């Protein structure tokens, strides 16, 4: 049965409102899709051309028969990050699910890492989640249900070279997830982190294309080589696989998964 043929109200998350940050592309968009499929009203957030974003909202709404809107906010800016949840509450009167997904990274050795870029990475990867969580929690507590999912990274669990701000901010995001899980442990609100390995978002395909051209190999071989560099599986993780875990963490079955940092990483961190 296709998602569109499911009558409204019969899906597990029908009536829930979900805000997914950084959801105009990549893992965030896949997560928004997965939650819409379960019946959630969706508040997208992320950068992009207004016309493209409007088309995306229409497409998602039509595919899953749920309301979908976009709330603009550059989450590097504290005031905009702090205003995002109040905007979702103003529109829908409730916020049940918060997925902190928007993130960025700076690649290069720490000696040459520009301090302003360090601040920017932390602002988006960590501070934005602080602002959205503190704004979302009171309503979740009051309504007696809530799910907070923070998209961290394997770099929230292990180190990596040439990405000090990314590693530090993602470790901090895992720490924040644990702290919030403890503060909410006796309530029906849960908070967890997901730690993906290499995911096949736009940048992965771009890198694989460049490698294929440089080495004169097929794109599939280039993709396998990139994935194998870090993941014993030799296979890249799909955005939909991460999104499926987001949806699972929002299910009733996951009500007692709290403060976890769950890898989806082809055994990267198993070694
Ligand atoms: P992406 O680049 O494909 O999409 C990023 C999304 O965030 C877009 O919608 C973009 O518009 C939005 N965004 C960017 N800057 C923003 C800002 N300042 N304010 C609001 N929105 C903004 O990203 P992705 O690869 O899907 O990554 C999503 C998350 O997953 C990030 O936190 C990333 O660190 C994490 N992650 C990604 C991978 C991977 O391999 N792609 C692996 C592990 C973790």
């Amino acid at each position: 049965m296709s998602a569109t043929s499911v009558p409204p109200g019969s899906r597990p998350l029908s009536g829930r409102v979900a805000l997914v940050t950084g959801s105009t592309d990549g893992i965030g968009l896949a997560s928004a899709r997965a939650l819409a499929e379960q019946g959630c009203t969706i508040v997208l957030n992320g950068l992009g051309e207004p016309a493209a974003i409007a088309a995306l909202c229409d497409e998602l709404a039509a595919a899953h028969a749920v309301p979908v809107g976009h709330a603009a906010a550059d989450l590097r800016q504290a005031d905009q990050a702090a205003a995002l949840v109040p905007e979702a509450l103003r529109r829908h009167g409730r916020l049940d699910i918060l997925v902190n997904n928007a993130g960025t990274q700076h690649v290069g050795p720490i000696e040459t890492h520009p301090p302003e870029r360090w601040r920017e990475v932390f602002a988006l990867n960590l501070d934005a989640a602080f602002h959205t969580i503190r704004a979302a929690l009171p309503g979740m507590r009051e309504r007696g249900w809530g799910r907070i999912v923070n998209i961290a990274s394997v770099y929230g669990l292990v180190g990596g070279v040439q990405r000090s701000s990314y590693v530090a901010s993602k470790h901090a995001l895992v720490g924040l997830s644990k702290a919030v899980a403890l503060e909410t442990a006796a309530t029906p609100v849960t908070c967890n982190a997901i730690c993906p390995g290499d995911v096949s978002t736009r940048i992965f395909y771009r890198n694989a294309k460049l490698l294929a051209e440089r080495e004169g190999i097929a794109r599939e071989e280039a993709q396998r080589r990139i994935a194998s560099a870090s993941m014993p599986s030799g296979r890249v993780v799909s955005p939909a696989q991460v999104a499926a875990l987001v949806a699972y963490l929002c299910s009733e079955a996951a009500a007692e998964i709290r403060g976890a940092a769950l890898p989806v990483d082809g055994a990267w961190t198993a070694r």
Side-chain angles (χ1 to χ4, degrees), residues 21-28 45-48 73-76 100-104 124-125 151-154 166 170 195-203:
T21 71
S23 50
T24 50
D25 205 355
I27 294 169
N45 156 262
L47 312 177
D74 180 340
L75 297 176
R76 290 168 300 184
N100 285 305
N101 165 78
T104 186
L124 187 57
N125 293 6
I151 307 300
S153 163
V154 284
Y166 191 72
K170 292 296 187 178
C195 300
D198 282 336
V199 182
S200 53
T201 49
R202 233 176 268 279
I203 194 165

Side-chain angles (χ1 to χ4, degrees), residues 30-241:
S31 300
R33 276 188 204 289
L35 293 172
E37 195 176 341
Q38 302 281 312
C40 282
T41 293
I42 301 294
V43 181
L44 295 177
N45 156 262
L47 312 177
E49 288 298 314
I53 292 175
L56 189 57
C57 290
D58 290 347
E59 184 254 305
L60 262 182
H64 302 295
V66 291
V68 180
H70 175 262
D74 180 340
L75 297 176
R76 290 168 300 184
Q77 310 297 328
D79 55 341
Q80 295 187 36
L84 185 57
V85 168
E87 175 59 20
L89 290 170
R90 191 188 62 75
R91 289 185 192 183
H92 299 291
R94 59 189 295 155
L95 182 65
D96 306 287
I97 294 169
L98 169 65
V99 182
N100 285 305
N101 165 78
T104 186
Q105 69 172 317
H106 176 86
V107 177
I110 192 164
E111 300 95 311
T112 59
H113 197 319
E116 58 281 6
R117 187 65 189 127
W118 175 278
R119 275 292 355 128
E120 198 174 69
V121 171
F122 267 77
L124 187 57
N125 293 6
L126 181 66
D127 298 2
F130 161 71
H131 290 297
T132 55
I133 291 170
R134 73 187 291 277
L137 254 184
M140 290 177 175
R141 285 187 193 275
E142 202 177 297
R143 283 186 301 278
W145 198 91
R147 294 288 189 268
I148 300 168
V149 183
N150 297 321
I151 307 300
S153 163
V154 284
Y155 291 118
L157 301 172
V158 297
V161 291
Q162 308 253 341
R163 37 173 60 83
S164 53
S165 55
Y166 191 72
V167 169
S169 62
K170 292 296 187 178
H171 271 72
L173 185 60
V174 168
L176 176 66
S177 308
K178 292 178 184 176
V180 173
L182 285 168
E183 288 191 25
T184 54
T187 78
V189 179
T190 73
C191 179
N192 292 286
I194 296 179
C195 300
D198 282 336
V199 182
S200 53
T201 49
R202 233 176 268 279
I203 194 165
F204 172 82
Y205 288 117
R206 198 161 54 235
N207 289 341
K209 182 169 171 278
L210 291 175
L211 180 65
E213 284 165 6
R214 207 168 52 238
E215 301 284 319
I217 55 176
R219 283 194 196 176
E220 293 71 25
E221 173 58 15
Q223 290 170 14
R224 197 197 60 73
R225 281 193 200 174
I226 293 176
S228 303
S230 309
M231 301 196 289
S233 64
R235 275 187 308 275
V236 70
V237 176
S238 72
Q241 287 171 326

